[in-house]
Amino acid sequence: MPTIDVVIHLSKSECLAHYEGLYTNVRTRSVDGRWVIFPAEALRRVVGQEGVHGVYRLAFSDQGRFINIQPLPRS
């Protein structure tokens, strides 16, 4: 299962816009500089009171479909 680590910084209001369906996808950069697009509904799994901030690991199927998102420990 391919994974990619991404940096996400979204405010509470930006997350709300994604949650309300105003956006269907999130576009962000990976830690190695590539652009990555994944479903906005994935943010529901990691959003906190301040929004979403940090580095996250995205998992994809071999066909490129999004499977999972998980926060990575801060170093």
Side-chain angles (χ1 to χ4, degrees):
M1 168 173 44
T3 62
I4 189 166
D5 296 344
V6 297
V7 178
I8 304 174
H9 290 291
L10 294 171
S11 69
K12 185 177 179 179
S13 62
E14 288 170 318
C15 289
L16 184 60
H18 285 91
Y19 186 81
E20 291 175 339
L22 298 176
Y23 303 100
T24 56
N25 293 307
V26 175
R27 181 177 176 226
T28 190
R29 286 230 188 233
S30 68
V31 295
D32 63 4
R34 295 178 283 170
W35 283 107
V36 179
I37 298 173
F38 64 95
E41 69 182 38
L43 295 177
R44 295 177 183 175
R45 303 175 195 174
V46 295
V47 68
Q49 288 185 336
E50 300 300 318
V52 178
H53 300 280
V55 179
Y56 296 83
R57 179 157 294 148
L58 304 177
F60 295 89
S61 70
D62 291 333
Q63 294 75 34
R65 297 190 63 92
F66 173 81
I67 295 175
N68 192 24
I69 183 172
Q70 62 186 51
L72 295 179
R74 296 181 189 214
S75 46

